[in-house]
Amino acid sequence: MTAQASTSVSKSRSSSIAAPRLTAEGDAIIHVENLVKVYDPDIRAVDGISFEVRRGEIFGFLGPNGAGKTTTIKVITTLIKKTSGTAIVDGIDVDKNPAGIRKIIGYAAQEVGIDDELTGRENLRLQCALYHLPKEEREERIAELLKAIDLEDAADRRAGTYSGGMRKRLDLAMALIPHPKVLFLDEPTTGLDPQNRAAVWDYIRGLNEQGMTIFLTTQYMEEADRLADRLCIIDHGHIMAEGTPASLKGSIGADVVTLSFKTNGVANPNATAKAALARIHGIREIQEVDGGIAVYAQDAPALVPQLVLALNDAHLDIAELTLTHPTLDDVFMKYTGRKMRTEEVTPQRRTPWGARRRRPM
Amino acid sequence: MTAGEFFGEVKSIAGRWIKKTLRRPPFLFFSLVQPIVWFVLFTAAFASVADIPGFKESTGTGSYLTFFAGAVIIQTVLASAMQSGVGFVTDMESGFLDKLKVAPIHRASILLGKLLSDGARILLQTAVILILAFALGVGIATGLLGLVLLFAIALAFGIAWSGISTFIALATKNSESTLMISLLTTFPLLFLSTAVMPKLLLKSPVSDIAVYNPITYIADGLHGLIITPGLNWSVVGLAFLIIGAVGFITLSATTTMFRRTVSA
Ligand SMILES: Nc1ncnc2c1ncn2[C@@H]1O[C@H](COP(=O)(O)OP(=O)(O)OP(=O)(O)O)[C@@H](O)[C@H]1O
Ligand SMILES: [Mg+2]
């Protein structure tokens, strides 16, 4: 957990400076090139994607349902065979030595894989055995992880009696049992309440600070924005954009005004609006998106009056108008033409893992 | 991966299944109550079978209960073995199989551990039946060695037969299909064999079919061990031979299907 210290120094989560481009192959712990996965009969779940994950970073895969996130993770973690392309983890090719990869990774699936008829502790014990931890280290490791995910009180109850959030946390602990070099988390916070989500974020960040490389998928913009050093936006099996959250937001280079219209009278409000706004000076781009249009402009606040007037002249009734500085939502919209749902997180937590903590079991 | 690691993996995986089985109330219920029901119902209904001329001469016992003990073992092993595959279906559905697949273990230990746990469960159920039979006054004519062979037949037969349901489970990925096929096959196989009726009393065409039913030879082996003093090695040997042949087929098929499942 110390070897990666030098690389983690160079990254800065809060600053807006983009991380330096990858220079040597040695930087990358995961290397994926032209990866294709076609399911029977002819579903191109992943359609030729290439990316690299650097040693010691948190790398995010952001995309909506069916984008191909899980499929990609399953190929890299040796669970399914790819159709074509290359996937290498820490210098090991998934085709040549899958067993070698299994030794150095931890994986928490999207659907938790825990045994409901065993207790939390027994699940962890089994995992210790499967990863060949020395016998004398096992109980200590289990106690440490139970404490970290705040499941000490429930450790000796059957996992079948756990809440969704507790199951997700137990599954995370299972993935951490072997001290993996690379941790794969497929939607680690889906289904968690805001408190639990924030606690998982803190925990993931802590693991990363100790040097663990983390590959996570998410449907939440905010999660990607807060956690990932770099991320890929993936949709329909293609990578639509790649970069640091800051550089992706910067790539829009403009404010975004999103507009939607009431449907009274006008046959095609979006097209009408585009035509009506075309003459306005200062608009960089107009894009049709789900349920409306997005207008990109350098100084949008100054343009809003003109926009409203022009739309009014075209007999369009505005249903909603929002003006934002670029967010990952806008990045997603720009590259896919669709909106993604976002969830707000309000971390007003009393205990690290939320209020469930001391409830009698 | 060393042999020690492999052994440890198999032990942990088998231990997991045994723990799960013992925690399931229906298992304990059926393991105890079902044999009791069988003993009581059948021996009450068919006690007079033993009075039919020729029964005693052909079977070696004048008690239908003693004859029937072997049938209860077979029925229980068949029913139990036919459930074996269901565990794989639940593991596939819950995602636990993925957890096993992504761990740095010999994948063979996933199957081997499961089959060994099935064997252990069947041994336990056989022990319950034998205790019950002793309580009802049934003795083992071949003594301690016979008892050991009895357990060995139940174990080997159980594992061989578990291969069938495991194959169906892996092929269909569906627990209903797995259980349906079990229900549809258990009783015909049992009643079209010499398990519940001695050969002498079977009429054609049942007697003709029974010759081709592997259960017949396993039943003959068990009946022999329970009833006939002095080990008849040819009967016992034939039972093991048949089990070996059945096991070879079912376990090869299961292994092939398992490889396909885990390498997908
Ligand atoms: N075993 C499978 N057989 C056939 N098609 C599949 C299979 N698994 C996934 N797919 C399809 O592949 C596509 C990508 O699925 P994948 O699970 O990788 O998406 P995802 O990005 O993880 O989505 P989600 O956010 O819903 O988890 C989808 O269209 C899905 O229907
Ligand atoms: Mg997924």
Side-chain angles (χ1 to χ4, degrees):
Chain A
M1 300 246 172
T2 50
Q4 290 93 9
S6 59
T7 50
S8 56
V9 171
S10 64
K11 75 187 181 203
S12 66
R13 215 174 296 276
S14 51
S15 97
S16 57
I17 304 160
R21 281 300 307 169
L22 199 61
T23 45
E25 278 242 332
D27 285 332
I29 193 161
I30 299 174
H31 177 87
V32 170
E33 215 171 298
N34 288 325
L35 182 70
V36 175
K37 173 67 188 181
V38 182
Y39 287 112
D40 286 339
D42 189 25
I43 303 163
R44 294 185 82 82
V46 172
D47 198 7
I49 62 172
S50 305
F51 63 90
E52 274 177 340
V53 177
R54 294 178 200 151
R55 222 170 269 276
E57 78 177 347
I58 300 183
F59 182 84
F61 240 34
L62 175 66
N65 287 131
K69 304 183 295 292
T70 299
T71 304
T72 307
I73 270 202
K74 283 191 169 173
V75 168
I76 305 175
T77 55
T78 77
L79 277 170
I80 56 174
K81 290 215 168 81
K82 60 187 161 57
T83 307
S84 64
T86 320
I88 294 166
V89 182
D90 201 24
I92 310 169
D93 190 302
V94 287
D95 287 335
K96 294 191 186 117
N97 185 10
I101 293 180
R102 286 177 209 136
K103 278 186 197 166
I104 57 164
I105 63 169
Y107 168 59
Q110 185 172 352
E111 313 287 343
V112 294
I114 55 182
D115 191 326
D116 283 347
E117 286 173 315
L118 302 182
T119 67
R121 195 187 303 279
E122 285 168 340
N123 268 291
L124 291 168
R125 274 196 194 125
L126 181 62
Q127 191 78 342
C128 286
L130 296 177
Y131 282 83
H132 312 113
L133 254 65
K135 284 222 166 58
E136 59 281 5
E137 289 174 19
R138 292 183 188 176
E139 291 306 315
E140 201 181 322
R141 177 82 182 133
I142 291 169
E144 176 190 317
L145 282 170
L146 282 171
K147 185 156 190 240
I149 57 159
D150 197 30
L151 273 185
E152 285 166 305
D153 293 344
D156 298 306
R157 274 200 290 145
R158 281 191 207 184
T161 66
Y162 289 7
S163 71
M166 291 162 85
R167 296 163 65 79
K168 204 80 183 154
R169 274 142 56 193
L170 176 60
D171 201 48
L172 176 61
M174 301 265 278
L176 289 169
I177 284 277
H179 295 285
K181 235 184 197 177
V182 190
L183 178 64
F184 291 87
L185 303 173
D186 197 352
E187 303 199 11
T189 67
T190 301
L192 297 191
D193 62 24
Q195 281 95 345
N196 270 299
R197 181 171 303 155
V200 168
W201 288 349
D202 284 347
Y203 190 54
I204 291 174
R205 218 172 269 138
L207 293 168
N208 177 249
E209 270 153 24
Q210 290 161 25
M212 197 180 286
T213 305
I214 295 168
F215 182 135
L216 64 87
T217 75
T218 182
Q219 301 189 29
Y220 302 122
M221 296 291 167
E222 196 185 356
E223 182 158 289
D225 202 0
R226 288 205 189 184
L227 275 185
D229 295 306
R230 288 189 316 123
L231 61 98
C232 281
I233 292 178
I234 177 170
D235 194 26
H236 296 307
H238 295 277
I239 288 177
M240 314 300 288
E242 184 187 348
T244 63
S247 70
L248 284 171
K249 284 183 267 186
S251 75
I252 291 189
D255 299 330
V256 189
V257 180
T258 346
L259 289 153
S260 64
F261 305 100
K262 293 179 185 154
T263 44
N264 40 348
V266 186
N268 188 344
N270 287 356
T272 314
K274 273 177 86 168
L277 301 178
R279 287 181 301 271
I280 295 176
H281 190 69
I283 291 178
R284 181 181 294 188
E285 196 186 335
I286 304 173
Q287 192 188 6
E288 278 196 53
V289 296
D290 274 357
I293 59 167
V295 178
Y296 300 90
Q298 199 62 54
D299 186 15
L303 280 182
V304 169
Q306 289 186 60
L307 294 181
V308 174
L309 282 175
L311 294 169
N312 199 32
D313 289 347
H315 307 292
L316 285 163
D317 286 336
I318 298 172
E320 201 179 323
L321 182 154
T322 47
L323 186 148
T324 47
H325 300 300
T327 62
L328 279 181
D329 277 302
D330 303 316
V331 176
F332 185 80
M333 204 160 68
K334 177 173 169 182
Y335 288 104
T336 67
R338 289 188 287 136
K339 283 183 190 160
M340 247 183 108
R341 79 194 147 106
T342 18
E343 299 211 353
E344 293 304 319
V345 172
T346 41
Q348 20 155 257
R349 53 206 142 101
R350 279 161 301 211
T351 73
W353 296 99
R356 272 212 186 83
R357 187 171 186 199
R358 292 293 166 209
R359 201 171 283 174
M361 305 299 178
Chain B
M1 290 190 207
T2 66
E5 277 182 357
F6 181 61
F7 180 75
E9 292 160 12
V10 173
K11 203 179 89 180
S12 305
I13 288 165
R16 166 184 175 234
W17 287 112
I18 292 167
K19 213 176 265 170
K20 281 163 74 74
T21 305
L22 294 178
R23 276 183 195 174
R24 227 170 266 161
F27 167 76
L28 296 172
F29 179 79
F30 283 114
S31 310
L32 271 171
V33 175
Q34 206 182 9
I36 296 178
V37 172
W38 272 73
F39 271 123
V40 173
L41 277 186
F42 273 79
T43 52
F46 293 116
S48 55
V49 169
D51 301 333
I52 297 172
F55 181 90
K56 186 154 198 256
E57 292 69 37
S58 73
T59 61
T61 177
S63 151
Y64 186 69
L65 182 69
T66 304
F67 181 78
F68 191 64
V72 179
I73 295 178
I74 289 182
Q75 191 275 333
T76 306
V77 173
L78 275 177
S80 184
M82 275 303 184
Q83 316 266 328
S84 297
V86 176
F88 269 118
V89 179
T90 38
D91 265 11
M92 280 189 251
E93 283 169 353
S94 74
F96 203 87
L97 189 64
D98 273 352
K99 190 134 277 177
L100 295 173
K101 277 167 64 182
V102 87
I105 56 175
H106 271 95
R107 285 180 167 178
S109 51
I110 301 173
L111 183 60
L112 193 60
K114 177 72 173 84
L115 285 173
L116 285 181
S117 78
D118 294 330
R121 181 185 71 234
I122 285 161
L123 276 185
L124 188 72
Q125 288 172 301
T126 308
V128 169
I129 296 167
L130 286 173
I131 291 168
L132 210 64
F134 290 143
L136 293 169
V138 177
I140 305 286
T142 47
L144 192 63
L145 180 59
L147 189 68
V148 172
L149 287 170
L150 212 86
F151 275 113
I153 288 179
L155 176 67
F157 173 46
I159 290 181
W161 217 258
S162 292
I164 299 178
S165 73
T166 307
F167 175 82
I168 298 169
L170 293 171
T172 64
K173 301 181 172 40
N174 180 302
S175 41
E176 276 81 29
S177 322
T178 310
L179 289 174
M180 272 320 275
I181 294 171
S182 124
L183 271 178
L184 291 177
T185 51
T186 302
F187 288 99
L189 282 170
L190 197 66
F191 288 102
L192 295 175
S193 78
T194 56
V196 286
M197 270 311 152
K199 197 178 248 134
L200 184 76
L201 301 181
L202 293 178
K203 293 216 166 63
S204 182
V206 176
S207 56
D208 306 323
I209 298 169
V211 179
Y212 297 102
N213 183 351
I215 305 297
T216 292
Y217 301 94
I218 298 155
D220 288 349
L222 293 177
H223 289 320
L225 288 169
I226 296 170
I227 301 167
T228 325
L231 267 171
N232 185 342
W233 283 108
S234 63
V235 173
V236 175
L238 188 60
F240 276 112
L241 199 71
I242 297 286
I243 291 171
V246 170
F248 178 76
I249 297 166
T250 62
L251 296 179
S252 320
T254 300
T255 309
T256 310
M257 193 50 80
F258 176 75
R259 284 222 183 95
R260 193 176 300 173
T261 305
V262 295
S263 72

